[in-house]
Amino acid sequence: MHELGVTFTVIKRVEEVARENNVKHICKVTLSLGEVSTVIPEQLIDCWNWAVNNKSEILSNCELVIEPIEAITYCSDCKKEYNTIKYGKICPYCASSHTWLKQGNEFIIKDVTAD
Ligand SMILES: [Zn+2]
């Protein structure tokens, strides 16, 4: 359960932010999630809903909003960028395989809303 690990990582970080800012309760967390990250959004939300209601007071009933980050791959031969989901590892412009993922594999806590 990779999603559970991510859930606890996010909860821990948000709780730290809440304590640093003297906030008693967080009602909404917005997470930016890369399209090709290994985290499945539906499973993450399931884990989240369980965890915030069982493991955290600061985050009880907190809503999780997931915003996707488009996956973009960069080609080091023709220096172009393209959509990773559509074309994978092979550059659609020059058919090179000398490509690397520029973005789309990350998860970032984008916004935290206190009530
Ligand atoms: Zn190329």
Side-chain angles (χ1 to χ4, degrees), residues 82-102:
Y82 63 90
N83 184 301
T84 311
I85 299 276
K86 208 166 171 186
Y87 299 108
K89 286 181 80 75
I90 304 298
C91 174
Y93 300 104
C94 70
S96 168
S97 60
H98 299 139
T99 59
W100 47 272
L101 189 68
K102 192 186 169 204

Side-chain angles (χ1 to χ4, degrees), residues 97-114:
S97 60
H98 299 139
T99 59
W100 47 272
L101 189 68
K102 192 186 169 204
Q103 66 169 56
N105 193 26
E106 59 275 79
F107 74 91
I108 301 159
I109 300 169
K110 191 184 168 198
D111 197 27
V112 172
T113 309

Side-chain angles (χ1 to χ4, degrees), residues 55-69:
K55 299 285 174 192
S56 175
E57 278 184 29
I58 296 172
L59 287 140
S60 67
N61 285 314
C62 178
E63 182 191 1
L64 178 66
V65 177
I66 297 175
E67 291 183 352
I69 301 172

Side-chain angles (χ1 to χ4, degrees), residues 41-53:
E42 293 75 22
Q43 288 187 14
L44 184 60
I45 285 177
D46 283 348
C47 289
W48 177 269
N49 288 338
W50 172 80
V52 293
N53 290 310

